[in-house]
Amino acid sequence: MTDLLIHNLAEVATPEGSAPLRGAEQRRIRRLAGGEVVCRAGRIAFVGSPEERRRQFGEMPEAERLDGQGGTLIPGFVDPHTHLPWAGSREEEFAARLAGKTYQEIAAAGGGILSTVRSTRRAGEEELAANVLRRMDQMLAWGTTTAEAKSGYGLNQEDELKQLRAIRQASERHPVDLVPTLLAAHEFPPEHRQDRGRWVDLICDEIVPATAEAGLARFCDVFCEVGVFSAAESRRVLEAGVRHGLAPRLHADEFADSGGAELAADLGAFSADHLMAVSPAGVEALARSGVIAVLLPGTSFFLMKRNYAPARRLVEAGVPVALATDCNPGSSHTESMPMVVLLAVLQMGLTIEEALAAATLNSACSLGLGSEIGSVEPGKRADLVLLAAPNLLHLVYHYGINPVAAVVKGGRVVRRAG
Ligand SMILES: [Zn+2]
C-alpha cells in the first residue's frame, strides 16, 4: 500500500487523545495552520509542518498525493446512532405531519415504527443490504467514515437477525465501517401487544443469545421511554445483553423523563441517547458515571419541536457530549453529519469546536473506538475528511452546502467531490 501525503492545507483541525472530552476540554481543538499529514499502511504516520515532514520523510516521490487546495482537514465523522437497515418509505406520513397530525396520532393510526416493521419484514436480506449501501453512499458523501447501525424493525428473532446480517453484508462491501447494535427492544410487536412480558422474555432468553452466538452485534440497545419500555424492562434487556457480551447503550428520556439516564449511569452504558427530557438528577448521574450523552438534534428539527436536548447544561455538568443523525425513515431522515453539527451549534448552543469533538472523538468513544479513530493524530486509523473550507468555522458558517471535498478511509482516498 503506497503512502498518502495530504498537502496544501489551510489547516488541520482536530480534537486530541483517545478518551472522551468533557466540560471545558470539549472545546479544546488543535488547529494547525498549513499542516501536512502522511498516511502509511492505513494509519496516520505524521501530522505537522511541511518542513518537519521533509526532514522526517524526504520528498516522498512514490507517495500518492491529495492536494488540499487550501482546505481544512478534520477527522472523519463518526455517526453513533442510526437505524439504517429499513425497507419502505414514510413520506405520506411526513406529509400528514406537515398538515398538522402528531407523531403519536400517526402511530395510533398504524403508521410510525410499525409501518416500517411491516415493510422490513417483507424485505429480503439482499434488498435490505442494498438499501443500507445506498444510505452509506450518502454518509460517505457527507464525510462519515464510521457509523453505528441498529436493527429494531424486525421485532421477531428471524427478522432482527436478518437486519443485522444486512448490516454486516453492507459493511463488508463499503468503505464506511458499520458497528452493529441489536435493538429488538425498539417497540412491542403487534403479536405481543397484549402480553408485554412475553416479548421482553423472548428478547432476553432467545433473541439476545442467538444474536451473540452468531456474532452479529457489538451492542444491545433499548427504547426506554414512557409508554414503550419501562426502566425496569429496559434494565432486564440490557443486563441480558451484558451477560452475552453485548455492551449496553440506550434511547433515554426522549419525550419524557423515564429514568433512562439514571439507568445508563447505573449500568455503565457506553451512551445515553436523545435526552431531550432528561431530569437534573439524570444529568448529575451521567456526569458522575462518565456515560457519553449522544444527542440527536436532527430529530427535534425534523419533528418540528422547539425542544432540543440541553446540550449546554450537559457540557457544563461535565458530561461528554456526542452527536448523531438518528438516520431513520420517521423522525430524522438524513445521513448528514454536517447538518447535525449545524443544528447542534445553532439550536443547542454548542460551540463549533465542541460540536466537532462531539461528532468525531466523543462519538468514536461512545462506540468504544476512541483509541482507533476520531482524531487526526499519529497512530490512529487514517479516516479523514477534507473540507473545501479555509478554516473550521466554515463548517457551520457556510451552511446548506456539502463542504466535503474528499474522504480518506484507511489511508486511501475513497471519495472526491465532483
Ligand atoms: Zn434511535
Side-chain angles (χ1 to χ4, degrees):
M1 187 173 180
T2 47
D3 293 349
L4 174 68
L5 169 63
I6 308 172
H7 65 105
N8 192 19
L9 293 166
E11 69 172 353
V12 177
T14 180
E16 292 180 288
S18 51
L21 301 179
R22 53 164 82 193
E25 282 177 358
Q26 180 146 1
R27 67 184 75 110
R28 211 171 292 149
I29 295 296
R30 179 185 190 204
R31 293 177 64 178
L32 174 67
E36 290 189 347
V37 171
V38 175
C39 309
R40 176 164 281 176
R43 303 221 162 234
I44 297 166
F46 171 85
V47 183
S49 69
E51 299 70 38
E52 185 57 26
R53 188 268 303 165
R54 263 184 228 104
R55 207 178 62 73
Q56 287 187 32
F57 293 84
E59 287 307 317
M60 304 188 70
E62 306 293 317
E64 184 188 346
R65 282 170 156 68
L66 175 61
D67 182 346
Q69 300 192 317
T72 297
L73 193 77
I74 61 172
F77 291 115
V78 179
D79 185 349
H81 183 136
T82 83
H83 298 259
L84 281 193
W86 81 82
S89 183
R90 280 157 56 191
E91 69 273 19
E92 298 298 339
E93 187 181 293
F94 173 62
R97 273 205 295 115
L98 294 179
K101 287 228 184 330
T102 68
Y103 193 71
Q104 283 79 3
E105 284 167 347
I106 290 164
I113 290 175
L114 291 181
S115 128
T116 299
V117 169
R118 285 192 295 277
S119 38
T120 304
R121 283 179 174 179
R122 278 197 299 269
E125 184 183 320
E126 283 297 325
E127 178 187 342
L128 281 181
N131 292 351
V132 173
L133 284 163
R134 222 175 37 245
R135 292 167 195 141
M136 292 164 89
D137 285 343
Q138 282 293 341
M139 287 181 153
L140 193 65
W142 288 87
T144 295
T145 46
T146 299
E148 185 257 17
K150 304 176 195 297
S151 67
Y153 295 122
L155 303 188
N156 60 43
Q157 180 168 320
E158 182 189 339
D159 290 312
E160 287 290 310
L161 267 62
K162 175 181 75 184
Q163 280 192 284
L164 293 168
R165 283 194 306 271
I167 292 168
R168 180 163 70 188
Q169 198 189 126
S171 189
E172 284 167 359
R173 287 159 55 186
H174 198 281
V176 173
D177 286 321
L178 296 181
V179 180
T181 295
L182 173 68
L183 178 60
H186 194 195
E187 242 307 356
F188 287 84
E191 53 276 23
H192 291 295
R193 281 272 142 135
Q194 308 309 326
D195 186 8
R196 296 167 58 94
R198 175 78 187 123
W199 177 230
V200 177
D201 290 345
L202 272 175
I203 295 172
C204 296
D205 301 341
E206 297 180 23
I207 302 181
V208 164
T211 300
E213 196 182 334
L216 282 170
R218 164 87 177 86
F219 293 100
C220 182
D221 191 349
V222 56
F223 195 178
C224 180
E225 185 67 40
V226 172
V228 195
F229 291 85
S230 68
E233 289 166 336
S234 300
R235 176 186 287 276
R236 275 195 60 205
V237 170
L238 295 173
E239 286 179 344
V242 169
R243 277 198 302 280
H244 289 87
L246 306 184
R249 58 194 312 112
L250 62 153
H251 290 64
D253 306 329
E254 179 176 0
F255 299 110
D257 170 23
S258 50
E262 289 89 336
L263 176 63
D266 200 40
L267 293 174
F270 274 70
S271 70
D273 301 24
H274 284 294
L275 301 173
M276 280 140 69
V278 66
S279 68
V283 173
E284 260 301 294
L286 292 175
R288 259 199 321 273
S289 61
V291 171
I292 297 173
V294 174
L295 306 185
L296 307 119
T299 311
S300 297
F301 177 73
F302 199 65
L303 293 178
M304 298 179 288
K305 290 185 181 294
R306 290 184 203 289
N307 178 27
Y308 283 79
R312 281 255 59 86
R313 235 184 333 120
L314 288 159
V315 168
E316 272 143 33
V319 178
V321 168
L323 290 168
T325 60
D326 198 15
C327 183
N328 78 77
S331 60
S332 182
H333 193 186
T334 184
E335 294 90 349
S336 168
M337 285 296 282
M339 178 71 195
V340 169
V341 166
L342 173 83
L343 293 172
V345 171
L346 295 184
Q347 301 289 350
M348 299 200 307
L350 291 186
T351 69
I352 295 173
E353 291 81 1
E354 286 167 340
L356 180 69
T360 56
L361 181 58
N362 281 7
S363 46
C365 291
S366 85
L367 297 176
L369 296 172
S371 55
E372 272 289 292
I373 54 175
S375 64
V376 188
E377 294 179 280
K380 287 217 180 168
R381 212 191 297 158
D383 291 3
L384 308 163
V385 170
L386 174 64
L387 301 175
N391 58 56
L392 172 65
L393 304 186
H394 276 247
L395 176 58
V396 175
Y397 170 60
H398 192 175
Y399 78 96
I401 54 137
N402 186 340
V404 175
V407 182
V408 174
K409 177 73 186 173
R412 281 178 41 239
V413 180
V414 291
R415 188 182 160 88
R416 287 176 203 263

